[in-house]
Amino acid sequence: ATLGADGYATIELIASMINREGLQVAVTGYTDPALNEELANSRVLAVVDALRAEGVADAAILMQPPGVVEDGASEAMDAGAR
């Protein structure tokens, strides 16, 4: 999975908040039931790599197991979550 320009802009903002406030972040990759865990993991790694590139320490990043979005829910998530 790759992040687009909007994704990188969001990562920069989030990374800035994490670094400034000493926060932690949990990252979970989602896919719908027709797709697989490999895609979900790829999405997690893309976000984690981008956070690291922005200076977020590994200790501030929690990678969570992949999640599955039930049928119909993925359309609702498209606008803000992907």
Side-chain angles (χ1 to χ4, degrees), residues 61-80:
I61 303 170
L62 172 65
M63 291 189 287
Q64 295 186 325
V68 173
V69 176
E70 295 303 320
D71 290 337
S74 61
E75 290 81 15
M77 291 180 60
D78 279 341

Side-chain angles (χ1 to χ4, degrees), residues 1-9 11 43 45-51 82:
T2 58
L3 296 174
D6 288 343
Y8 280 109
I11 291 293
R43 290 174 173 168
L45 292 175
V47 170
V48 168
D49 288 345
L51 287 169
R82 295 184 181 177

Side-chain angles (χ1 to χ4, degrees), residues 4-52:
D6 288 343
Y8 280 109
T10 300
I11 291 293
E12 288 175 357
L13 177 65
I14 291 169
S16 174
M17 291 187 311
I18 292 168
N19 291 331
R20 183 180 60 243
E21 303 295 330
L23 303 173
Q24 293 183 317
V25 64
V27 181
T28 303
Y30 286 91
T31 118
D32 60 38
L35 299 175
N36 58 41
E37 190 174 315
E38 185 177 330
L39 176 59
N41 287 330
S42 175
R43 290 174 173 168
V44 167
L45 292 175
V47 170
V48 168
D49 288 345
L51 287 169
R52 287 175 176 153

